[in-house]
Amino acid sequence: MRSSRKRVVSLVPSLTEAVAVSAPGLLVGVTDWCTHPAPELAGVARIGGTKNPDVRAIAALRPDLVIANEEENRAPDLAQLRAAGVEVLVTEVRGLPQALRELDRVLVGALGLARPGWLADAESAWARVEPDAERRAFVPIWRRPWMVLGRDTFAGDLLARLGVRNVYAGHAERYPKVAVAELTAAGCDLVVLPDEPYRFTAEDGPEAFPGLPAALVSGRHLTWYGPSLAQAPAVLSRALRGAG
């Protein structure tokens, strides 16, 4: 099936990768944070960040469709694009099943592509997952101030499928600010430290929680919903088992 959309702007790194891998050449504009796949994005216009896109620059690209996400992009920016006559498709992703459905909606429904093989591979990879024994954990995504995964998050759903129970999954907020003293006293078996949005490293993060095993994980495999989903179970499992 050939795409009926010839010019696409993506405001979401995950969706950028999904489109670039599935239909090279469709993308005419992406954000500054869109990094994968690098060869396919060489020469594609950069239109600002996910939270501060250049609406005029996007409109000047004359896209047939702009793809966005309700969490990563701001409603006022999307409203300005629509006011400029640009069609905008907004995704919502709070868990793995929804991510797979939304990817199908974007790639097959909106762009008219054949369903990509990597999407079936991702479904199969996650269907084969057998979680390890449950471990209680918290998952910082920022420091200064410390923020963690709370309720109803895509990353939290992936970790739960791998046997990691987020102790803040029942919090009223999706990304609560929590004092380090409270985190230390939470009685967890593990702290999971992704390398995005904050770039936690072996030297920046684990030292705040002495004595608690730390799993340094790939943020792309934990938070991106795209081709990386096919490798995510194996990549994340290795990192979690290697926590030290």
Side-chain angles (χ1 to χ4, degrees), residues 60-128:
L61 290 171
R62 296 178 291 104
D64 299 308
L65 183 68
V66 170
I67 49 179
N69 176 264
E70 51 87 29
E71 179 178 51
E72 294 199 49
N73 308 118
R74 301 186 318 138
D77 296 323
L78 304 183
Q80 286 185 48
L81 286 167
R82 292 188 177 102
V86 177
E87 183 177 352
V88 180
L89 184 156
V90 182
T91 60
E92 179 182 303
V93 175
R94 303 293 177 90
L96 179 63
Q98 190 177 29
L100 296 171
R101 291 194 301 270
E102 290 287 69
L103 286 165
D104 193 274
R105 181 166 75 99
V106 171
L107 299 171
V108 180
L111 298 183
L113 303 174
R115 198 169 193 268
W118 62 259
L119 192 50
D121 292 341
E123 290 175 324
S124 297
W126 282 99
R128 295 192 300 268

Side-chain angles (χ1 to χ4, degrees), residues 7 18 32 50 85 94 112 119 149 158 173 183 191 195:
R7 301 177 63 81
D32 297 337
T50 57
R94 303 293 177 90
L119 192 50
L149 292 183
L158 294 194
E173 299 177 28
L183 295 174
V191 53
D195 61 10

Side-chain angles (χ1 to χ4, degrees), residues 43-236:
V44 176
R46 297 288 174 165
I47 47 72
T50 57
K51 298 289 192 286
N52 59 343
D54 187 333
V55 172
R56 289 186 179 181
I58 295 171
L61 290 171
R62 296 178 291 104
D64 299 308
L65 183 68
V66 170
I67 49 179
N69 176 264
E70 51 87 29
E71 179 178 51
E72 294 199 49
N73 308 118
R74 301 186 318 138
D77 296 323
L78 304 183
Q80 286 185 48
L81 286 167
R82 292 188 177 102
V86 177
E87 183 177 352
V88 180
L89 184 156
V90 182
T91 60
E92 179 182 303
V93 175
R94 303 293 177 90
L96 179 63
Q98 190 177 29
L100 296 171
R101 291 194 301 270
E102 290 287 69
L103 286 165
D104 193 274
R105 181 166 75 99
V106 171
L107 299 171
V108 180
L111 298 183
L113 303 174
R115 198 169 193 268
W118 62 259
L119 192 50
D121 292 341
E123 290 175 324
S124 297
W126 282 99
R128 295 192 300 268
V129 165
E130 295 183 4
D132 292 334
E134 183 180 275
R135 287 181 287 177
R136 289 163 47 86
F138 56 89
V139 189
I141 57 167
W142 204 258
R143 67 183 301 177
R144 304 182 193 96
W146 287 93
M147 298 175 67
V148 299
L149 292 183
R151 63 171 180 83
D152 198 22
T153 67
F154 173 70
D157 183 42
L158 294 194
L159 288 171
R161 294 168 188 274
L162 297 170
V164 176
R165 183 164 77 85
N166 175 16
V167 297
Y168 289 97
H171 198 281
E173 299 177 28
R174 296 186 66 214
Y175 303 102
K177 297 177 183 177
V178 184
V180 69
E182 179 181 329
L183 295 174
T184 303
C188 289
D189 308 304
L190 182 71
V191 53
V192 179
L193 297 168
D195 61 10
E196 63 174 82
Y198 186 92
R199 187 172 180 79
F200 288 106
T201 68
E203 293 74 35
D204 185 355
E207 81 290 343
F209 311 104
L212 186 63
L216 295 164
V217 304
S218 162
R220 176 167 165 259
H221 290 92
L222 180 62
T223 64
W224 289 35
Y225 37 92
S228 59
L229 275 175
Q231 294 79 42
V235 171
L236 295 174

